[in-house]
Amino acid sequence: GAVVSQHPSWVICKSGTSVKIECRSLDFQATTMFWYRQFPKQSLMLMATSNEGSKATYEQGVEKDKFLINHASLTLSTLTVTSAHPEDSSFYICSAERGGGNSPLHFGNGTRLTVT
Amino acid sequence: AQSVTQLGSHVSVSEGALVLLRCNYSSSVPPYLFWYVQYPNQGLQLLLKYTTGATLVKGINGFEAEFKKSETSFHLTKPSAHMSDAAEYFCAVTSPGYSTLTFGKGTMLLVSP
């Protein structure tokens, strides 16, 4: 069964509004979670690494003020897309590592964001 | 820095035919290699992984992959394609001690009856 739950699975919002996406590890504690963005017919691009109890580490080119990440507990990380624009429309996927280093990452089922 | 190249954005096979999805990697340190499958509008599911040990690794759904250091390759194969195998497949690489994955661009597998 799924070990990483992502919610919502899809969301439509208007330009200028903010959208929050949740990523939960269901039966394990994840000190580190990852947020990816996937454009149509393209690969996954790592946006940021979410660390429990500390600031997220953003990849180059990712606006930290636009994509707010909060990892408030060992089982929950949230990604908030602030002041969304149509170009933010994409498929966002989170992942979490179960266990120590080099354990396979478990992925959520993704969130399809459409900004109108 | 690490990178992954997946040859062929689309691969078409007939049901029952051999599946071969190619993956080449670049890494300055011994790599850990993964294959993931993604169905439409869903997340990624791990098919198999190579870390150390046996270079031929078997995964779920009858897939297997062989790590060839000399060729810097980690091709994914399945002897007989099934319609349910139609999906997008991603090869990924990381390094020992790291969790961040670098993905290839993906290969869409199309299976025809």
Side-chain angles (χ1 to χ4, degrees), chain A residues 49-111:
Chain A
T49 302
S50 172
N51 304 297
E52 188 269 337
S54 64
K55 292 183 178 181
T57 304
Y58 289 82
E59 296 299 302
Q60 189 173 8
V62 177
E63 299 177 61
K64 57 184 66 176
D65 294 331
K66 182 168 188 59
F67 299 99
L68 301 179
I69 292 173
N70 183 21
H71 196 151
S73 76
L74 287 171
T75 60
L76 173 64
S77 175
T78 61
L79 168 68
T80 301
V81 183
T82 63
S83 186
H85 289 147
E87 56 264 32
D88 298 326
S89 299
S90 191
F91 194 58
Y92 294 87
I93 306 177
C94 72
S95 69
E97 183 184 51
R98 184 176 195 158
N102 305 310
S103 299
L105 291 176
H106 296 276
F107 286 81
N109 278 334
T111 298

Side-chain angles (χ1 to χ4, degrees), chain B:
Chain B
Q2 297 177 313
S3 66
V4 175
T5 301
Q6 290 184 242
L7 294 177
S9 59
H10 292 79
V11 170
S12 297
V13 300
S14 299
E15 191 173 20
L18 170 71
V19 175
L20 171 60
L21 304 182
R22 299 179 184 273
C23 172
N24 289 89
Y25 69 90
S26 173
S27 178
S28 59
V29 298
Y32 285 8
L33 295 156
F34 304 81
W35 275 101
Y36 286 89
V37 61
Q38 184 182 33
Y39 296 97
N41 290 313
Q42 292 191 27
L44 276 70
Q45 180 182 9
L46 180 67
L47 281 177
L48 48 80
K49 66 181 175 85
Y50 167 80
T51 53
T52 59
T55 57
L56 180 63
V57 293
K58 296 184 184 297
I60 62 172
N61 302 338
F63 285 93
E64 61 182 37
E66 186 171 11
F67 170 60
K68 292 187 177 180
K69 183 179 179 180
S70 61
E71 299 177 7
T72 61
S73 68
F74 191 58
H75 302 330
L76 181 71
T77 61
K78 182 174 180 177
S80 177
H82 192 272
M83 295 296 290
S84 61
D85 294 327
E88 185 139 29
Y89 292 79
F90 291 94
C91 181
V93 64
T94 189
S95 303
Y98 291 92
S99 300
T100 304
L101 291 170
T102 299
F103 287 89
K105 291 188 175 182
T107 298
M108 178 65 72
L109 177 64
L110 307 171
V111 183
S112 57

